[in-house]
Amino acid sequence: MAVETDVLDELHRLRTRIPRLTGSLAATVDGLVLAHDVPETEPEGLAALTAAALGVAHRMADAAARGEFRELLMRGTEGYVATYAAGPTAVLTLLADGRVNVGRLHLEGRRSGARIADLVATHVGLGRNRHGDPPRTPEPRTTTPADAARPIGTLPVRTPQRPQPGGHR
């Protein structure tokens, strides 16, 4: 598949731009590997965990009213795991040792996420339009009830309805 080769090339370029980067993975938001450069790590498992973390991050951003997901950073005793949005259908996860320049990791991770988003969009027929603008992000579809988006432990808030102009209630 051509998108796999192009995304893998981008992951390899990341290695040269980020000293102390130990691995990278591009996956779909539902956990399917697009391309990877993760020696000593099982890519399918990392992609599945990335999808799970992404789901929690979306819920947390929504519950805290922080807008759409952009990135997630986890620091462990041996280094960092950083996940970046790569358009509406893909995600980029980077592994780095504890001495990485986190600012550089973010800068390059965000840039590569945008490049991967463009590559994926181009390969699925959603490339830039004739004006050079990227495709509009479709609204996510949900199959959960409206109450499921409410943070756990909260009650629904009912707001009084306003009278319609020119009519009576």
Side-chain angles (χ1 to χ4, degrees):
M1 185 178 227
V3 68
E4 187 176 327
T5 303
D6 292 343
V7 172
L8 187 58
D9 288 346
E10 179 61 30
L11 297 181
H12 288 158
R13 285 189 296 271
L14 261 174
R15 281 256 193 197
T16 63
R17 293 192 311 263
I18 305 175
R20 308 209 183 277
L21 186 68
T22 60
S24 56
L25 172 128
T28 64
V29 293
D30 43 349
L32 300 174
V33 176
L34 293 173
H36 68 88
D37 178 16
V38 285
E40 302 176 21
T41 303
E42 197 257 312
E44 288 79 16
L46 184 59
L49 288 170
T50 295
L54 186 62
V56 172
H58 277 284
R59 294 285 304 258
M60 187 181 294
D62 188 49
R66 297 295 170 232
E68 291 182 37
F69 170 81
R70 293 289 182 243
E71 58 198 47
L72 179 65
L73 180 68
M74 190 280 305
R75 181 179 175 212
T77 57
E78 301 299 319
Y80 294 89
V81 178
T83 300
Y84 301 91
T89 61
V91 62
L92 170 66
T93 294
L94 304 178
L95 309 176
D97 78 23
R99 297 174 294 165
V100 72
N101 177 328
V102 177
R104 181 70 178 263
L105 182 72
H106 282 319
L107 176 71
E108 297 296 344
R110 291 169 186 152
R111 286 179 179 170
S112 284
R115 284 188 199 102
I116 290 168
D118 285 345
L119 290 170
V120 170
T122 299
H123 287 322
V124 295
L126 299 174
R128 296 182 179 273
N129 67 20
R130 62 189 173 94
H131 302 291
D133 299 323
R136 291 181 51 185
T137 304
E139 291 296 318
R141 291 185 179 178
T142 179
T143 57
T144 58
D147 286 348
R150 192 171 14 114
I152 296 171
T154 61
L155 298 173
V157 177
R158 298 194 189 271
T159 55
Q161 292 186 349
R162 297 182 185 154
Q164 297 295 324
H168 300 294
R169 284 180 43 157

